[in-house]
Amino acid sequence: MTQLTGRPILGIPGEVGGRPVPADLLTGVRAALVGLAVVGVPVLGLWVITPYADDGAAGATRLAAALWLLGHGAPVLRGGAQAPLSVTPLLLGVLAVVRLYREGAALERRRVLRSRWGGPVALWAGYCAVAVGVALHCAGAGLFRSRVLLDVLVVALVAGAALAAGVRSADPEARAHPVLGLLDRLPPPYRPTGGAEAVGSAALAAGAGLVAAGGVLVAVSALLSAVAGGGRGAALLAGGPAALAGLVLLAVVLLPNAVVWGAAYALGPGFAVGAGTAVAPSGTRLGPLPDFPLLALLPAEGPGGWRWAALLLPALAGVVPALLLGRAAVRPEPWTPAATAVAALAAALPTGAGAAALAWLSGGALAAERMARLGPVPWWTGLAAAGWVALVAVPGALLVRHLALAPSHRTGLARRSALRLRAGAYAAVLRLSSRRAPAD
């Protein structure tokens, strides 16, 4: 009797044991509030330690709400002129997407019979309910102003996509990517049999390599700026501890954006920091820039010179995909050279699409007129990423495949040669025995 009463009856599978809809709604609300707290706590902390702050607590909470919306890619308006502000802080966006992705996967793993509106739909609704409140709080007059309908729609789309991806990742029947599944429908000479997983791994490796290339450039720029000392970053120390802490926190939030811009620089197209500007290995053309730590890392104006060496980084990013695909091409049954090249091209396409998406998200506008264009050009960046990966991965995979198949090919030739020698010796013995037979 104790065992029966000690176990919750809601754990029994079935209609009674289904997870209630309010629980999933509250899970979505909690996920949104946790993300809002990650943004709001530092903002309110800086407001508390700032002496003679211009705005009250309401202004600080509006700033936190605007940053939370921007982290989902929702644009806001800034100032009395209502200048557009659409640069997405990628760090905040990654935190929101990862949390929703994990919540969706957790819901799918503990799935039981539930009502029609339970599960991911209820979680999404709870998340969007918080987004409506945040957008309404930021809709009035102030330094930052949201456009409620547009911002809630963007947050809803991002939350729905992240939840759907999480649910799909936990479903073993839906893990196969539909685009990569098209490889098995190609004609036999061009079909990398069973290569969808290898192509996906190669695309992820190529993307990670490009991100690493951007990170290397940011780190090198920071090191060179620290060695040079002074310059554009020296004026940042004059604003006091609170202002400096705020700038540092904002720089940390925008650091992934800088990494994406660095990757675009390494790929060749580069990026812009205002209308009429260009930052690329071929040369740098800048105008007046605001005092901001990450902008202090930009190269000096002038021709590229030794900065052309940055183009080596995306070439190195294609080495690992080439190794992965070259090894996959020899097991369990060898691919043809054409199928190996198709697999490398198939890995380059999603890499280019991901680079274009990140370039679009990392850029945008900080104000009207001159600062209305910041960041890389998405389609140029995507084409460059796909081109660099294909340029290295296609011949690299073919070379690795050839080297992997060469030992087995030599072994086959040796075996055939040995069989031929044995057959020749056996035939010679037969001929000799046939000549000696009449004499006997």
Side-chain angles (χ1 to χ4, degrees), residues 33-357:
L33 291 178
V34 168
L36 191 58
V38 169
V39 181
V41 170
V43 171
L44 290 174
L46 288 174
W47 172 77
V48 169
I49 66 174
T50 301
Y52 311 109
D54 296 332
D55 294 331
T61 56
R62 287 175 63 88
L63 175 58
L67 287 174
W68 188 81
L69 292 172
L70 284 171
H72 293 78
V76 299
L77 301 176
R78 184 173 67 88
Q82 297 186 358
L85 178 59
S86 58
V87 176
T88 303
L90 290 182
L91 180 60
L92 300 180
V94 168
L95 293 177
V97 168
V98 168
R99 184 164 187 84
L100 288 167
Y101 180 91
R102 294 179 62 183
E103 292 290 351
L107 278 178
E108 183 64 24
R109 282 194 295 266
R110 61 172 180 259
R111 178 173 56 178
V112 293
L113 291 178
R114 52 179 173 247
S115 65
R116 178 182 178 184
W117 303 109
V121 176
L123 196 153
W124 173 83
Y127 197 91
C128 292
V130 176
V132 171
V134 172
L136 288 174
H137 176 66
C138 197
L143 181 59
F144 297 98
R145 187 171 69 85
S146 68
R147 289 172 283 184
V148 178
L149 183 59
L150 176 61
D151 291 345
V152 171
L153 178 61
V154 173
V155 173
L157 290 175
V158 172
L163 280 172
V167 170
R168 184 180 179 84
S169 68
D171 186 1
E173 298 179 357
R175 286 182 182 177
H177 199 282
V179 177
L180 296 180
L182 296 176
L183 295 175
D184 294 332
R185 301 181 184 179
L186 295 174
Y190 306 97
R191 182 191 305 162
T193 306
E197 184 177 354
V199 170
S201 299
L204 290 175
L210 293 179
V211 171
V216 168
L217 283 184
V218 172
V220 170
S221 300
L223 180 62
L224 293 178
S225 178
V227 170
R232 286 170 291 181
L236 301 175
L237 300 176
L244 182 60
L247 285 174
V248 170
L249 284 175
L250 188 57
V252 171
V253 168
L254 293 174
L255 184 59
N257 297 61
V259 170
V260 174
W261 292 16
Y265 184 93
L267 288 169
F271 55 91
V273 285
T277 65
V279 182
S282 58
T284 302
R285 186 173 65 255
L286 299 173
L289 296 174
D291 291 330
F292 188 68
L294 293 179
L295 295 181
L297 305 182
L298 294 175
E301 292 193 77
W306 61 271
R307 298 187 183 94
W308 283 103
L311 297 178
L312 294 175
L313 294 175
L316 295 176
V319 173
V320 175
L323 291 174
L324 292 175
L325 294 173
R327 292 177 179 178
V330 297
R331 59 179 190 268
E333 58 180 88
W335 300 342
T336 63
T340 305
V342 166
L345 292 174
L349 291 178
T351 304

Side-chain angles (χ1 to χ4, degrees), residues 9-38:
I9 194 171
L10 293 181
I12 301 174
E15 196 66 33
V16 179
R19 182 179 173 89
V21 174
D24 293 326
L25 280 170
L26 291 176
T27 301
V29 171
R30 181 189 62 188
L33 291 178
V34 168
L36 191 58
V38 169

